[in-house]
Amino acid sequence: MEKDITIDGQHLHYEVTGNGPALLLMHGWGCSLTTVRSIAQTAARTHTVYNLDLPGFGSSAEPPETWGVEEYSHLVEEFMKAENIERPVLAGHSFGGRLAIYLSARGRIRPDSIILIDAAGIKPRRSFNYYRKVYAFKLLKKIAPVILGSEKGERLIRSVREKRGSSDYSQASPVMRAVLSRTVNQDLTPLLKDIDVPALLIWGENDTATPMRDARLMEKIIPDCGLVSFPGCGHYSFLDNPVQFAAVLQSFLSSRKK
């Protein structure tokens, strides 16, 4: 069942399926609740699944300003309060994993457990060449309008941004570009030690967006944690290997009902 709710003026779209204890499902960047619907279908065998369109994605409105992990997490907490959700399993893919980490370590509503699926949260390692391009682009933004004039300068800047920027960045609106820039640089590694509920990590071994080294670091730091990885799978392990993914997820969720 698809529903809509307004929390503190923010419109949020979501889907509810299944019966049993609550599970809150949060998708990755540039996706929507439809992307992770297969996860919801598996989880709905044992749990009531609340599958969210996070603000700025799917049918939910963009945030009114440049939100970070804290603001997104606060809205999710307010959603849980509005829906009387207590002790949910928190499941997050990629960007949604960031929120699951923050909510587990700093949130006011204690989860039953968390499931991190190819999750973000570890600040990416950057090469010298990356920083060279970043600072060169910042310089271009300052001097291009002066040398070429505002109109031609802006066209050049936009062209360079589209060629060099990630597809996530280039396809986003101005507000969501600012949100992406802010959240991708938020390193949640210091929070991992404070996660005091059982955690399951599910990863694709060929994931290049959130590589296996991130998963191994999370496994090492989170006190009660297990890691399952799938060979030949990438950032969307639940789509690359749906049968084994569903089996692992179902096994973990069934154990949480006992």
Side-chain angles (χ1 to χ4, degrees), residues 213-232:
R213 65 172 176 266
D214 291 1
R216 295 190 183 99
L217 180 60
M218 290 182 186
E219 182 189 25
K220 181 179 179 181
I221 298 176
I222 298 173
D224 184 1
C225 185
L227 169 63
V228 178
S229 62
F230 298 133

Side-chain angles (χ1 to χ4, degrees), residues 101-143:
I101 291 170
Y102 189 89
L103 287 163
S104 301
R106 293 288 184 269
R108 293 166 291 169
I109 298 176
R110 179 179 169 83
D112 168 82
S113 53
I114 65 169
I115 303 169
L116 302 178
I117 306 159
D118 301 295
I122 308 295
K123 190 171 182 179
R125 295 179 181 178
R126 304 298 194 186
S127 65
F128 171 78
N129 194 46
Y130 168 84
Y131 288 107
R132 180 184 63 80
K133 290 181 179 179
V134 168
Y135 288 113
F137 182 67
K138 287 182 177 181
L139 179 61
L140 176 68
K141 288 198 295 183
K142 289 183 178 181
I143 66 173

Side-chain angles (χ1 to χ4, degrees), residues 7 12 26 50-51 80 84 112 127 130 144 196-197 202 219 226-227 235 238 246 258:
I7 301 172
L12 193 67
M26 298 169 285
Y50 297 83
N51 188 5
M80 286 191 278
N84 296 313
D112 168 82
S127 65
Y130 168 84
D196 60 354
V197 296
I202 309 179
E219 182 189 25
L227 169 63
H235 190 53
F238 59 96
K258 295 178 180 178

